């Protein structure tokens, strides 16, 4: 009788090669909208679903039930600061998270990324044989330097690293801050 060996699941957009025995037979798919199969047994996932892949050789036939899984996707922030965390979400759910460099950022089993050191790291997610990754930039924490007090009617200049950020005041009725870090004392507080 005819037999088919190989994987029984693939992801959308990926391929897997099935082997038919005895050799020299023909391949057929029950739904090319879900998965196609080439004359050499290469199955390509088109859309999520279940499809039968048939193989006929020497008057005998076999079929393989093939599951086409939805491609994995990750959503969430692509940058964070050292010492902070961000939660990633992924589909399909229930997969495995990993990081390319735990010295830069770690990731929990639930997708919470913790920034450790500045750099760029890939956060990987794998589910039902499908995988993807998201590149995450870990920035150095912002540090403000300068005086911590100002008199009413005077100004002081603050500097920050890394530069290029945005300055804001929590209470502009007490003190304002310019786009360049110049603080003006308005009232006591």
């Amino acid at each position: 009788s005819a037999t088919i060996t190989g994987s029984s699941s693939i992801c959308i957009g990926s391929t897997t090669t099935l082997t038919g025995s005895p050799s020299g037979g023909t391949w057929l798919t029950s739904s090319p909208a879900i998965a196609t199969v080439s004359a050499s047994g290469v199955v390509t996932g088109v859309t999520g679903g279940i499809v039968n892949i048939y193989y006929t050789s020497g008057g005998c036939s076999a079929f393989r039930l093939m599951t086409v899984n939805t491609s994995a996707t990750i959503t969430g922030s692509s940058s964070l600061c050292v010492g902070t965390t961000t939660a990633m979400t992924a589909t399909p759910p229930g997969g495995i998270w990993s990081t390319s460099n735990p010295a830069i950022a770690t990731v929990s089993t639930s997708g919470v990324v913790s920034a450790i050191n500045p750099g760029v790291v890939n956060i990987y997610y794998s589910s039902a044989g499908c995988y993807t990754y998201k590149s995450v930039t870990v920035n150095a924490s912002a540090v403000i330097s300068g005086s911590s007090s100002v008199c009413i009617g005077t100004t002081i200049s603050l500097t920050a690293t890394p530069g290029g950020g945005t300055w804001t005041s929590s209470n502009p009725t007490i003190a304002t801050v310019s786009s360049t870090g110049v603080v003006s004392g308005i009232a006591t507080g």
Side-chain angles (χ1 to χ4, degrees), residues 94-185:
I96 298 170
W97 294 91
S98 61
T99 175
S100 64
N101 191 341
I104 294 175
T106 60
V107 61
S108 72
T109 57
S110 61
V112 176
V113 178
S114 299
I116 308 298
N117 286 300
V120 178
V121 64
N122 288 330
I123 302 299
Y124 296 100
Y125 180 76
S126 174
S127 179
C130 305
Y131 81 96
T132 188
Y133 72 93
K134 186 175 187 73
S135 184
V136 175
T137 301
V138 177
N139 299 302
S141 295
V143 177
I144 297 175
S145 301
S147 176
S148 58
S149 65
V150 62
C151 294
I152 294 172
T154 64
T155 62
I156 58 168
S157 291
L158 301 178
T159 58
T161 54
T166 303
W167 293 92
T168 57
S169 169
S170 64
N171 191 341
T173 62
I174 294 174
T176 60
V177 62
S178 72
S179 60
T180 58
V182 176
V183 179
S184 300

Side-chain angles (χ1 to χ4, degrees), residues 40-101:
S40 59
V42 177
V43 179
T44 303
V46 177
T47 190
I50 297 174
V51 64
N52 285 323
I53 303 297
Y54 298 97
Y55 179 73
T56 303
S57 180
C60 299
S61 294
F63 75 93
R64 167 67 56 98
L65 195 65
M66 180 74 67
T67 301
V68 180
N69 298 303
T70 304
S71 298
T73 59
I74 298 174
T75 56
S77 177
S78 58
S79 68
L80 64 162
C81 294
V82 170
T84 64
T85 62
T86 187
M88 301 280 186
T89 57
T91 56
I96 298 170
W97 294 91
S98 61
T99 175
S100 64
N101 191 341

